[in-house]
Structures are given as C-alpha cells and as structure tokens.
C-alpha cells in the first residue's frame, strides 16, 4: 500500500479550494488539523479570536469528514498534544508511517520557517486564495521607486474586470473617495452586522477558552461570530442588503456606542478562508449593477479588498521576516496600560479600546487615527504596538496586521507603504466623530493640562522628526504653519506635550 501523505490545514486556511487540499488524494491522504498552544499563545490573543478560530476549525473538520476526507484532528486539551504544528505533524507522521507533508504556505514567516526546518519532506504550495500571486505582486513592484497602493489597485481592477467598462473604470474614475468620508450623524438608523447563536460545538469551545484564556484581555461572551462558510455567506448577504449602501459615505465616521456603523465585519471570515475575496467583491459589484447601491459605496468597498488587502500581503512577503522589527523613527516608549483597558479620560481612546475589549473589533479609522495615531505621536515602540494589534483583533494575522501597523500606522518601515505618516491633531477626530463633545479634554485647546493630548503631541512629533520630514513636499505646508506660530506659543505647545508624555509614563494613561 502507498503511504498516505499528511495534508496540513491551518486555522486560517479553512477553504474547500485550499491548494493543499486540491493537491491531495481523498482516498489515500490524511488531513491534519491541530489546536495547539503554540498558536493559541504566540501573543495573548483576544478570547473571542481564539474561540472563533477553534470553533471554525472544528466545523471545518466536520465538513471535511462529511465529504469523505480522513481527518486527524487534535483538540487543545487532548492527551499527547505536543503543543506545536510541527510537533503534531511529527506525531501524525510516526502514527501513519509517512514522511511526506503537503501544506499551503502559512501567512506568517514564523510558521513558514518552522515547516522548512522539519525533518519531514514538506511541500509548501502557494496560497492561491488571493487575487495577486506573490510573483504578480513582486513583478508589479520591481523597478518602481514608490509602491503606491493606488496604482496596484488599478492593475487589480484590470485583472479582475471588477467595475470596468472595457479598459476604463466604470463611472469614468478609479476612485470616488471625494464622495466619501462624511461624518456620522447620531440619529442615523442602521442595521447591526448579522449575529449567530452559538451551537453545541461553539459552546464547548467557549467553555474551553473561558478556562484557559479567561485572563487574556478581551470579553468572550456574548459570542455571535459566524463559524461556518454557510453562516459567513449569510453575513455577507446581510451586509450587502442593509449596510453597503452607506459604506462609502460613512467609512471614516466614528460614533459613541456604535462599534460597526456601515462596516462589513467580514475581515474575520475572509481571513479565515470562509469567504473568498473575489466572491465578496463580485457580490458587491452585482449589487451596484442592479442599482441597489451607489458607485462610491461599491468602488470604495472593492478597493479595500482587491487594493489594500492584496497590497498589504504583497508588502509583508516582499519585505521578509525582519519587517516586524523595523523602527525607522527610533520610537522606544513602552505601550501604556491604557491600551490594556486602564481607565482613560480621552473619550476617543476609551471608546476604541472598550469596544476592542468587548467585540475584538474596531474599524479602520479607529485603528489608524485613534489608537494608531496616538501610539505614533507618543513614540511607542512599534514592536509593542504590533504585538498589541496582533493580539486584540479577531481578524489579526501577521501577513495583514504587520504591514498595516508597522507600515501604514507607525511609519516604522520608513515610508514603504505611506509617503507620509498618518498623524493628526484632535481636529480630525472632532470632525469625524461625536467623541470630543463629551471628552474631559478640550479639543480646541493646544496648551495646558486639560488640552486634547493629540493637539500638542502632533506638533511634538513633527518637531522631533523635523529632519526626517521637512523635506517631504506633502508636509512642507505643515512645517510652514509651525514656523509661523510665535516662538512663545511653540514652546508652550511643546511643554504641554512633554507634560502629557510625563503623565503617560507615570500613570500609563491620560
Ligand atoms: P470594512 O471597513 O467593511 O472593509 C471591507 C474589507 O476590506 C475588510 O473586511 C478587509 O478585508 C478589507 N480591508 C480594508 N482595509 C484594509 C487594510 N488596510 N488592509 C487589509 N484589508 C483591508 N485588517 C485585517 O484584516 N487584519 C488586521 O489585523 C488588521 N490590522 C490593522 C491594523 C491597523 C493599525 C490598521 C490601520 C488597519 C488594520 N486592518 C487589519 C485593516 C482594516 O482596519 C480592517 O481590515 C477592517 O477594519 C476590518 O473590518 P471590516 O471587515 O468591518 O472592514
Ligand atoms: C490564530 C490561531 C489560533 C488562535 N489557534 C490556532 C490553532 O490552534 N491551530 C492552527 O492551526 N491555527 C491557529 N491559529 C491560526 C494560525 O496562528 C495561523 O495559521 C498563522 O498565524 C498563519 O497565519
Ligand atoms: Fe480624543 Fe482629544 Fe477629542 Fe478627547 S478631545 S475625544 S482626546 S480627540
């Protein structure tokens, strides 16, 4: 008899069409899936994230078995669980008398290297659940002085044909962002993302996670995520029907007590492999073609997926394993306790972090312009910021989290992703949200203990990194305004920033 091969399916590879499954022979091979401490513990993941991954894995394994696959599944609390993916492969290899493994390339260098180092014959196939292969991305990037997402996105529109009129973009423009970015109105009625009641399998996982990870940051219950492809498809349908219409208009808005607004909450499902990015975009395109949603909503949404998501992955793999250690601005401050829930008087930070705790979710602008902006202005070590984001969001996997944090948010890669840092004073947050009206700090003030910390920290950041940024044409105007301020005022702003930072270091909160 020919020895079976082991077919590795990781927790975020839950796709029927996974390249490792496509290369396998159902009648001969054994699918290996393993809940292991190495994966549940490489960062202190939010309990909702662990529960989502484990429950989705168990459902996926069940489905594979129903379709005739032999699955060797290890539960986290099984006796003999070796604690790592490599250990489980070795255990199964010895059990089944084989030394051959077929895997789909993991989304993290750490695991790619672990598979390469194994004393088994491991074949890592490309992960083709993306629109651009890594070769396609590298070909696009080769020889370019700047890797701007917008140009990559246009290539992806051409490649997929999404919202194209022949060779031209539908509606005559590639990008409708000037119609977007409206602030939210508190009286807007909108539906919430779809919620699912946990079944027996999920309940069992929730109890396990409660026991083992109850001390991690984040609230486990209530748990309403989709854990199967069928449920994820229903969540997609719900988003397209009820929320997509306002997606473009309100994608940058922030509102107290409203975690989701018009956002899709689909990233957890796409990243797990339950939804295919192209099918999601095609569904959105159809809604636009059928006249159910405006062009700015459909184009804005599709750009996030075939543009930003694909681009981020390309950068992560192009830049190599050292990317998460980059620190172009030399930031060294420890991550303050505020990020782990210590009570803060800053309403914007309190809102973003509280919903991160309860939901394992914050939308893009909260991640970028509230928690990310604050960390950058305050000079927090990017590696600590990276670890926080990787831990606390249910959709966080290194291939997508690291370029968003190290590159886009913290400018720690020295400008590969962003030509200038995403920094702003409190003004931006005030414009896009209703946070400032109920904040203990004054968004109108730049100096004094009660002034909005973003205001003085913004200038402190620009002043301390002047050498780096003053030659950047996109930042020249800002430096001119700083220089036009009278010297006494500038000193007072910098003194206020230092006082805020001192308090942050002393108390861990502002
Ligand atoms: P929507 O607002 O509904 O957007 C639709 C989809 O577009 C998302 O589901 C997602 O698949 C995709 N998307 C949008 N923006 C991005 C982006 N910048 N990069 C990649 N995909 C994007 N996204 C993750 O999936 N995992 C992360 O760990 C992650 N960390 C982030 C950290 C920071 C500091 C920042 C600024 C952004 C991060 N993002 C991350 C990107 C983005 O914030 C999330 O994809 C989005 O908030 C997910 O919520 P949603 O599904 O409701 O998105
Ligand atoms: C995130 C995660 C968690 C929490 N647990 C597991 C697990 O027990 N077993 C597994 O195969 N995968 C898990 N994952 C997903 C992996 O961490 C993910 O595959 C890698 O980080 C690569 O993206
Ligand atoms: Fe945030 Fe400043 Fe507004 Fe307070 S005043 S909510 S700290 S931006």
């Amino acid at each position: 008899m020919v020895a079976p091969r082991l077919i590795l399916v990781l927790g975020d590879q839950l796709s029927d069409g996974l390249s490792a499954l496509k290369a396998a022979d159902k009648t001969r091979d054994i699918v290996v899936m393993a809940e292991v401490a190495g994966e549940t513990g490489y960062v202190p993941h939010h309990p909702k994230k662990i529960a989502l991954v484990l429950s989705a894995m168990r459902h996926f394994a069940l489905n594979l078995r129903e379709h005739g696959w032999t699955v060797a599944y290890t539960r986290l609390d099984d006796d003999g669980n070796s604690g790592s993916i490599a250990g489980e492969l070795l255990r199964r290899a010895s059990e089944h008398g084989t030394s051959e493994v077929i895997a789909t390339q993991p989304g993290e260098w750490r695991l790619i290297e672990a598979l390469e180092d194994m004393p088994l014959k491991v074949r890592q196939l490309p992960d083709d659940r993306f629109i651009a292969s890594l070769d396609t991305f590298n070909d696009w990037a080769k020889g370019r002085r700047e890797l701007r997402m917008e140009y990559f996105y246009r290539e992806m529109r051409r490649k997929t044909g999404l919202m194209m009129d022949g060779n031209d973009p539908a509606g005559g423009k590639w990008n409708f962002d000037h119609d977007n970015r409206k602030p939210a109105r508190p009286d807007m009625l909108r539906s919430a993302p779809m919620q699912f009641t946990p079944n027996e399998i999920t309940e069992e996982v929730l109890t396990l996670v409660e026991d083992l990870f109850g001390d991690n940051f984040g609230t486990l219950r209530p748990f309403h995520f989709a854990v199967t492809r069928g449920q994820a498809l229903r969540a997609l349908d719900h988003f397209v029907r009820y929320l997509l219409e306002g997606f473009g208009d309100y994608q940058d808005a922030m509102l107290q007590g409203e975690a989701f607004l018009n956002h899709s909450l689909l990233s957890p499902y796409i990243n797990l492999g339950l939804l295919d990015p192209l099918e999601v975009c095609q569904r959105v395109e159809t809604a636009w073609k059928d006249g159910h949603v405006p062009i700015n909503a459909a184009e804005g949404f599709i750009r996030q997926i075939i543009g930003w998501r694909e681009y981020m992955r390309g950068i992560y793999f192009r830049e190599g394993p050292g990317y998460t250690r980059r620190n172009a601005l030399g930031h060294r401050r420890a991550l303050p306790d505020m990020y782990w829930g210590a009570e803060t008087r800053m309403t914007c930070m309190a809102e973003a972090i509280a919903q991160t705790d309860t939901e394992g979710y914050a939308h893009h602008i909260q991640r970028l312009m509230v928690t990310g902006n604050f960390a950058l202005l305050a000079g927090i070590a990017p590696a600590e910021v990276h670890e926080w984001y990787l831990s606390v969001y249910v959709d966080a996997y290194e291939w997508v989290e690291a370029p968003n944090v190290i590159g886009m948010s913290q400018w720690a890669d020295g400008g590969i992703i962003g030509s200038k840092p995403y920094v702003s004073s409190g003004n931006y947050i005030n414009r896009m949200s209703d946070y400032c009206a109920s904040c203990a700090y004054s968004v109108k003030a730049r100096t004094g203990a009660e002034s909005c910390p973003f205001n003085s920290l913004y200038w402190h950041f620009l002043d301390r990194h002047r050498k780096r940024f003053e030659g950047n044409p996109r930042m020249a105007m800002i430096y001119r305004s700083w220089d036009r301020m009278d010297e006494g005022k500038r000193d007072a702003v910098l003194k206020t920033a230092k006082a805020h930072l001192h308090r942050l270091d002393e108390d861990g909160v502002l």
Side-chain angles (χ1 to χ4, degrees):
M1 211 175 83
V2 204
R5 296 163 306 181
L6 302 180
I7 312 301
L8 178 65
V9 176
L10 293 168
D12 57 351
Q13 298 183 336
L14 309 180
S15 313
D16 292 335
L18 192 73
S19 54
L21 287 170
K22 279 192 289 195
D25 176 352
K26 209 187 259 191
T27 61
R28 163 190 169 201
D29 297 329
I30 292 164
V31 175
V32 174
M33 294 182 71
E35 301 172 5
V36 289
E39 296 310 306
T40 56
Y42 59 84
V43 288
H45 299 285
H46 194 296
K48 274 193 165 83
K49 176 181 178 187
I50 303 177
L52 172 63
V53 175
L54 300 194
S55 178
M57 282 176 73
R58 290 183 185 192
H59 281 91
F60 190 76
L62 207 65
N63 193 259
L64 285 179
R65 285 191 181 121
E66 278 166 14
H67 284 85
W69 290 92
T70 305
V71 183
Y73 192 97
T74 309
R75 288 178 174 228
L76 201 55
D77 51 359
D78 278 352
D79 289 340
N81 185 330
S82 65
S84 70
I85 294 296
E88 285 311 282
L89 284 172
L90 284 172
R91 201 158 69 95
R92 299 299 184 190
S94 131
E95 248 171 55
H96 296 281
T98 181
S99 58
E100 254 192 89
V101 178
I102 304 179
T104 292
Q105 190 185 53
E108 202 176 324
W109 286 110
R110 174 183 60 86
L111 271 181
I112 294 175
E113 288 165 356
L115 292 182
E116 279 168 356
D117 290 347
M118 289 200 65
L120 298 174
K121 190 172 156 246
V122 183
R123 195 146 57 97
Q124 297 194 47
L125 302 174
D127 187 345
D128 56 13
R129 299 171 301 161
F130 291 86
I131 290 146
S133 68
L134 297 179
D135 285 345
T136 304
F137 185 85
N138 289 334
D139 285 348
W140 170 79
K142 208 173 347 178
R144 282 176 192 260
R145 208 168 46 84
E146 290 188 325
L147 304 181
R148 294 293 156 246
M149 195 289 294
E150 185 62 31
Y151 297 107
F152 172 74
Y153 165 58
R154 293 178 191 180
E155 295 278 309
M156 292 301 100
R157 286 275 293 278
R158 291 192 186 96
K159 182 166 193 265
T160 57
L162 284 163
M163 297 188 76
M164 294 295 290
D165 265 343
N167 281 328
D168 300 320
K173 282 190 299 188
W174 292 104
N175 183 317
F176 290 83
D177 257 356
H178 72 89
D179 296 336
N180 298 340
R181 301 183 174 151
K182 295 189 176 69
R185 295 192 325 268
D187 59 340
M188 278 175 357
L189 282 178
R190 67 173 74 69
S191 140
M194 189 145 200
Q195 301 193 332
F196 300 89
T197 308
N199 64 4
E200 245 173 64
I201 297 175
T202 303
E203 278 298 345
E204 203 181 345
V205 167
L206 291 177
T207 306
L208 178 78
V209 171
E210 219 153 38
D211 286 351
L212 296 180
F213 307 102
D215 291 340
N216 287 13
F217 170 85
T219 308
L220 178 62
R221 291 174 195 268
F223 180 92
H224 291 306
F225 285 101
V227 291
T228 63
R229 173 164 164 77
Q231 289 181 335
L233 281 168
R234 284 170 57 204
L236 167 63
D237 191 58
H238 176 88
F239 166 69
V240 172
R241 267 172 207 263
Y242 302 114
L243 292 161
L244 174 61
E245 187 179 0
F247 176 85
D249 287 356
Y250 299 112
Q251 78 189 89
D252 289 4
M254 296 175 280
L255 209 53
Q256 275 189 62
E258 291 267 359
F260 308 110
L261 295 160
N262 286 81
H263 293 276
S264 67
L265 196 57
L266 292 176
S267 55
Y269 313 137
I270 305 174
N271 294 352
L272 280 177
L274 298 177
L275 294 177
D276 176 71
L278 191 58
E279 82 181 328
V280 171
C281 292
Q282 283 164 343
R283 179 81 175 76
V284 166
E285 183 191 40
T286 304
W288 164 69
K289 278 189 176 156
D290 292 347
H292 296 313
V293 301
I295 194 162
N296 67 313
E299 186 282 317
F301 184 86
I302 286 173
R303 173 157 29 96
Q304 306 311 313
I305 295 194
I306 68 168
W308 281 113
R309 185 173 185 273
E310 296 279 330
Y311 169 86
M312 290 301 187
R313 174 177 183 255
I315 297 283
Y316 176 75
F317 283 108
R318 186 167 192 269
E319 291 302 313
Y323 189 70
T324 54
R325 293 190 295 277
R326 305 254 176 110
N327 189 0
L329 298 175
H331 284 169
R332 306 259 176 266
R333 179 164 274 108
L335 189 78
D337 293 347
M338 176 158 74
Y339 280 80
W340 299 111
E343 200 175 327
T344 165
R345 294 162 72 226
M346 300 171 75
T347 300
C348 54
M349 291 290 280
E351 280 284 313
I353 294 165
Q355 76 173 67
T356 299
D357 178 336
T358 54
E359 312 292 347
Y361 178 86
H363 71 66
H364 186 70
I365 290 302
Q366 294 176 304
R367 297 187 206 196
L368 186 64
M369 300 312 291
V370 180
T371 44
N373 188 13
F374 185 84
L376 180 55
L377 295 182
I380 295 167
E384 294 203 19
V385 184
H386 152 63
E387 187 174 317
W388 183 77
Y389 279 96
L390 188 58
S391 308
V392 301
Y393 291 113
V394 289
D395 58 13
Y397 302 91
E398 197 172 281
W399 66 266
V400 56
E401 172 275 334
N404 269 295
V405 174
I406 296 289
M408 182 186 246
S409 165
Q410 299 302 297
W411 213 83
D413 66 4
I416 295 170
I417 289 179
S419 59
K420 73 182 193 49
Y422 281 94
V423 282
S424 80
S425 68
N427 230 346
Y428 173 83
I429 295 173
N430 192 31
R431 191 152 31 90
M432 298 313 299
S433 77
D434 66 350
Y435 293 158
C436 302
S438 63
C439 185
Y441 293 100
S442 164
V443 74
K444 299 282 175 227
R446 271 192 207 146
T447 55
E450 298 308 308
S451 64
C452 168
F454 279 102
N455 290 347
S456 52
L457 289 176
Y458 174 71
W459 292 114
H460 189 268
F461 171 89
L462 292 169
D463 186 62
R464 71 179 189 266
H465 292 300
R466 181 162 197 141
K467 248 195 181 146
R468 166 84 66 166
F469 294 123
E470 75 178 335
N472 183 328
R474 295 185 62 202
M475 297 177 76
M477 269 248 296
I478 310 172
Y479 279 104
R480 277 203 294 277
S481 339
W482 178 236
D483 292 341
R484 271 200 304 270
M485 229 184 269
D486 86 42
E487 201 179 332
K489 225 183 211 170
R490 281 198 307 244
D491 285 348
V493 170
L494 295 180
K495 212 168 129 208
T496 297
K498 282 183 194 144
H500 282 316
L501 289 174
H502 180 70
R503 213 149 49 78
L504 187 68
D505 291 337
E506 293 284 299
D507 303 342
V509 288
L510 283 180

